[in-house]
Amino acid sequence: MYGGGNTFEAIKAEGLEEEDARKMAEFEGRIAQGEKIEPDDWMPRLYRQQLIRMIEQHAHSEIIGALPEGTWITRAPGFRRKLALMAKVQDEVGHAQLLYSAAETLGKSREEMLTDLINGKSKYSNVFNYPTYTWADSCIISWLIDAGAIVNQMANSKGSYGPYCRALERICAEEAFHLKYGHDSVVYMATGSSIQRQMVQEALNRWWSQIMTFFGPSDKLSVHTETLMRWKVKMASNDECRQQYLDMYVPKILELGLTIPDPLLKKNEDTGQWEYTEPDWDEFRRVINGDGPCNAERLGVRRMAEERGAWVRLALKNPTAKYVRPLA
Amino acid sequence: MKEEAIKDLLYKIADDQLILGHRNSEWTGLGPILEEDIAFSSMAQDKIGHSLAFYTLLHELGEAEPDLLAFSRSATQFHNSQFTELPNGEFDYSLIRHFLYDNAEAIRFEKLSHSGYEPIAKVATKLKGEIKYHVLHANTWIRNLGSSTEEAISRLQNSLNSLMPYALGMFELSVYEQVLIDTGIYAGEEAIKEEWLTRIQQVLASTELTMPDIPSQTPMLGGRYGTHTKHLQPLLNEMAEVIKIDPTAEW
Ligand SMILES: [Fe+2]
Ligand SMILES: [Fe+2]
Ligand SMILES: [Fe+2]
């Protein structure tokens, strides 16, 4: 799912002047040469903070993203789709596991991160604050949201922090299967019976604005990201990702006979850029700050899972346990 | 007669796996730790995949397509034990069911891998390796949690006590029991149950959990003959919710 790279709070490039100038120069030099930064290496505080926030948000997006799709596992139509969707959602939870481990190398524990998720202190991809009304919504997510995630994640896998890059490489390989599954399930509906075609068109209509906001606010509205670009924390601007995505997927959507619910969407042949109706960024901000159709439900489910599982985690920690756990 | 007996055997195995796989899959996104979320999902995929293998054998014997068998029968046509259809409850309940069920299934598959009916023997041989991992997973967790905190131990003990009558229902005899045994197709439920009790007892003995008294239990029977709890039909309705929107369409 979601590839990080867009954190939604303003970045304050503060405290940089307090960093050791010589170490900073060496650090920036290594990054400029394409070297990876590893957990034990020196790094500026801002770099560490920003990476934790980004990787953590990415991990949260994987487990929260498992909810709107996971709810369709028990209802998936037929063995083939059911088995594929189960495997896909399982992968997403596995991605969360990989990413929490990557973030832990920077000094924040998985438990602290999950606590911050439940408290609403740390964010996750905003698209999951919208509901999946029908099976078709889950297919659209598997195809077109995962496609967006790949664009993001491919860019970020070329970033500077070693553990995150390595996690992303594994994740991208699996995402390619998700995309295949998602595309196939949409193809069957878009070329299927009239009921199916209507279902999938309606789902696309519902999800288009979420797809357009997936890469984060327009560069015009975005906060200053020069430092993060130089440090290869952020690898491509939001608008660059969005343009690349539209180039790749608009033709594929239209090819299926679906219509995209934006009358202004077209490629300007002179500039080579897509033009579109600007998404409602006010709504985006409102929703990401808690006031969306599913925010309370998603966090509520997560909180319930954490609370109901508390005794298990406690029992695993119990030092008086007689049984010696196998190492594997 | 023999073919009817084989079909009866295939149905109960396939239905058990489909229904328990469905229940396991309901843990997706809700596990107590991410690793268990992944483990339950993985076992659910195996179970549902195994049920598909057995529905395919049924189809080869002239029954309907696997998708139809799974997605369009009503509760009274299902042969799963009531044990598999009970709602998940809390993690201790699901874990105890997993432990009791998979130990039985491992034995069933070991025996089936020597079945005189070649197609079953082939499938069982192929799948029994996966079930071994399910048993390893269950036994490890029972050993772990079964000698950990007071809360964990008492939760597991309560679940064990309330699930045991349902677990014994897994071994409900078929009307074809004797035919299957005589023809060397199946070892029969009694033989599997005896071995199961020994294995369960062995694992529990290494924990602070107590094996419930078996002779005084009343097994919850009926599942193999289409009598189910109130929980099965809603589960099946949910499973068919999308396919029913347009049953003739390809999804
Ligand atoms: Fe995803
Ligand atoms: Fe993912
Ligand atoms: Fe994905």
Side-chain angles (χ1 to χ4, degrees):
Chain A
M1 196 36 60
Y2 169 83
N6 5 305
T7 44
F8 303 104
E9 305 96 328
I11 295 143
K12 295 191 208 86
E14 274 172 357
L16 283 181
E17 64 288 348
E18 289 161 27
E19 301 283 2
D20 183 320
R22 197 183 50 80
K23 285 180 177 164
M24 180 70 106
E26 194 196 329
F27 168 82
E28 293 196 336
R30 288 181 59 196
I31 290 175
Q33 282 180 11
E35 273 182 55
K36 301 287 183 201
I37 303 300
E38 295 300 332
D40 292 336
D41 296 345
W42 183 89
M43 60 186 84
R45 254 161 305 177
L46 181 66
Y47 178 85
R48 182 183 299 274
Q49 270 170 16
Q50 194 58 35
L51 270 166
I52 290 177
R53 188 158 61 171
M54 192 167 99
I55 302 172
E56 176 182 4
Q57 287 186 2
H58 185 177
H60 295 335
S61 302
E62 302 280 359
I63 48 169
I64 295 291
L67 301 176
E69 284 185 291
T71 174
W72 289 96
I73 288 174
T74 55
R75 295 177 274 178
F79 277 106
R80 191 164 66 114
R81 297 288 180 225
K82 192 189 275 290
L83 288 166
L85 181 59
M86 287 166 90
K88 178 201 190 284
V89 178
Q90 183 195 25
D91 282 350
E92 307 295 9
V93 180
H95 296 170
Q97 197 190 5
L98 276 172
L99 291 162
Y100 284 124
S101 303
E104 279 186 321
T105 63
L106 291 158
K108 187 169 182 181
S109 73
R110 190 202 280 188
E111 212 154 342
E112 284 175 284
M113 291 186 259
L114 285 169
T115 306
D116 283 350
L117 167 64
I118 291 169
N119 294 340
K121 243 182 90 182
S122 84
K123 309 261 182 265
Y124 51 87
S125 182
N126 203 34
V127 297
F128 301 125
N129 288 320
Y130 290 84
T132 44
Y133 284 116
T134 70
W135 168 250
D137 295 65
S138 84
C139 299
I140 291 285
I141 292 184
S142 293
W143 182 30
L144 294 173
I145 296 293
D146 279 48
I150 294 180
V151 168
N152 245 334
Q153 290 168 169
M154 288 294 267
N156 283 350
S157 70
K158 304 193 174 57
S160 62
Y161 189 58
Y164 188 39
C165 297
R166 289 188 289 271
L168 285 177
E169 273 165 24
R170 270 186 64 178
I171 289 172
C172 283
E174 294 186 349
E175 291 296 346
F177 286 101
H178 301 175
L179 191 67
K180 243 191 209 158
Y181 155 77
H183 184 243
D184 192 63
S185 63
V186 171
V187 168
Y188 268 68
M189 296 190 81
T191 59
S193 69
S194 62
I195 298 174
Q196 289 175 307
R197 289 200 304 275
Q198 190 187 340
M199 267 175 87
V200 75
Q201 181 64 57
E202 284 171 0
L204 179 63
N205 296 348
R206 276 192 289 275
W207 279 84
W208 185 251
S209 41
Q210 273 64 264
I211 291 166
M212 289 301 286
T213 60
F214 181 78
F215 298 99
S218 147
D219 295 346
K220 291 173 294 206
L221 309 168
S222 266
V223 282
H224 196 63
T225 55
E226 249 167 53
T227 312
L228 296 178
M229 294 275 232
R230 189 170 70 244
W231 287 350
K232 295 187 186 168
V233 169
K234 195 169 173 56
M235 295 301 289
S237 83
N238 298 352
D239 282 338
E240 280 163 12
C241 286
R242 200 165 8 245
Q243 288 288 330
Q244 189 193 338
Y245 179 89
L246 292 170
D247 264 339
M248 290 168 76
Y249 291 97
V250 169
K252 291 193 169 76
I253 295 169
L254 298 178
E255 186 178 277
L256 295 176
L258 295 166
T259 40
I260 294 174
D262 178 359
L264 298 185
L265 182 79
K266 70 167 198 308
K267 188 158 185 170
N268 182 327
E269 292 304 336
D270 297 332
T271 62
Q273 296 285 300
W274 286 91
E275 293 169 356
Y276 47 79
T277 307
E278 199 58 45
D280 184 345
W281 295 112
D282 290 332
E283 174 183 326
F284 178 83
R285 270 190 205 85
R286 213 168 51 239
V287 174
I288 199 151
N289 286 313
D291 186 21
C294 295
N295 301 56
E297 182 189 331
R298 300 281 183 254
L299 286 187
V301 169
R302 196 60 239 162
R303 190 176 299 120
M304 179 200 69
E306 293 294 320
E307 284 169 4
R308 289 177 70 192
W311 70 269
V312 180
R313 294 190 298 277
L314 199 69
L316 291 174
K317 273 196 278 195
N318 182 16
T320 66
K322 275 186 274 175
Y323 182 71
V324 180
R325 246 158 258 146
L327 285 171
Chain B
M1 180 72 166
K2 193 172 141 197
E3 185 159 306
E4 286 315 302
I6 291 171
K7 284 186 186 171
D8 187 66
L9 176 64
L10 291 171
Y11 266 117
K12 77 177 172 189
I13 295 171
D15 289 349
D16 263 1
Q17 289 171 317
L18 177 68
I19 302 302
L20 187 59
H22 182 107
R23 287 301 187 208
N24 283 347
S25 80
E26 290 174 336
W27 275 104
T28 306
L30 306 175
I33 53 172
L34 294 183
E35 287 73 10
E36 272 314 272
D37 217 294
I38 293 168
F40 265 79
S41 168
S42 159
M43 292 188 291
Q45 289 169 57
D46 286 348
K47 298 264 177 274
I48 290 177
H50 296 179
S51 79
L52 174 58
F54 283 91
Y55 289 129
T56 305
L57 291 183
L58 279 161
H59 183 51
E60 285 162 7
L61 291 174
E63 299 293 286
E65 295 280 345
D67 273 346
L68 275 171
L69 291 179
F71 290 81
S72 68
R73 282 178 299 150
S74 67
T76 53
Q77 294 169 295
F78 266 78
H79 302 252
N80 60 290
S81 56
Q82 293 179 2
F83 184 49
T84 56
E85 73 206 33
L86 299 171
N88 280 339
E90 303 254 338
F91 188 68
D92 45 79
Y93 197 79
S94 287
L95 183 62
I96 289 286
R97 171 162 58 187
H98 161 38
F99 167 64
L100 297 175
Y101 177 87
D102 278 296
N103 271 286
E105 185 160 276
I107 300 165
R108 186 171 295 136
F109 272 64
E110 284 158 25
K111 303 231 187 266
L112 283 175
S113 67
H114 307 294
S115 171
Y117 181 61
E118 189 67 17
I120 292 190
K122 262 196 191 147
V123 172
T125 305
K126 215 173 110 202
L127 304 182
K128 69 178 181 183
E130 285 176 20
I131 299 162
K132 227 185 228 168
Y133 284 103
H134 299 190
V135 172
L136 187 66
H137 177 264
N139 291 357
T140 304
W141 272 83
I142 293 293
R143 289 198 180 103
N144 254 323
L145 294 186
S147 33
S148 61
T149 61
E150 249 176 70
E151 180 178 7
I153 293 164
S154 86
R155 276 173 174 273
L156 291 172
Q157 188 67 57
N158 288 337
S159 292
L160 181 60
N161 297 346
S162 63
L163 278 168
M164 189 52 87
Y166 286 97
L168 290 168
M170 282 191 288
F171 308 105
E172 180 171 18
L173 299 181
S174 153
V175 285
Y176 303 106
E177 202 72 19
Q178 209 48 51
V179 183
L180 291 168
I181 296 171
D182 292 345
T183 50
I185 291 169
Y186 191 49
E189 298 299 340
E190 273 307 316
I192 293 171
K193 184 171 90 183
E194 285 316 307
E195 200 166 332
W196 175 77
L197 285 169
T198 312
R199 291 197 194 180
I200 296 299
Q201 172 61 43
Q202 253 169 23
V203 177
L204 292 178
S206 67
T207 69
E208 287 173 40
L209 300 168
T210 316
M211 178 84 166
D213 178 52
I214 298 300
S216 63
Q217 305 275 327
T218 310
M220 302 302 279
L221 303 174
R224 304 299 187 201
Y225 295 87
T227 304
H228 292 282
T229 67
K230 64 173 196 281
H231 305 295
L232 182 60
Q233 192 56 53
L235 179 156
L236 296 172
N237 294 345
E238 185 176 329
M239 187 152 54
E241 189 187 304
V242 176
I243 230 170
K244 262 189 353 216
I245 294 171
D246 193 341
T248 60
E250 277 195 73
W251 294 87

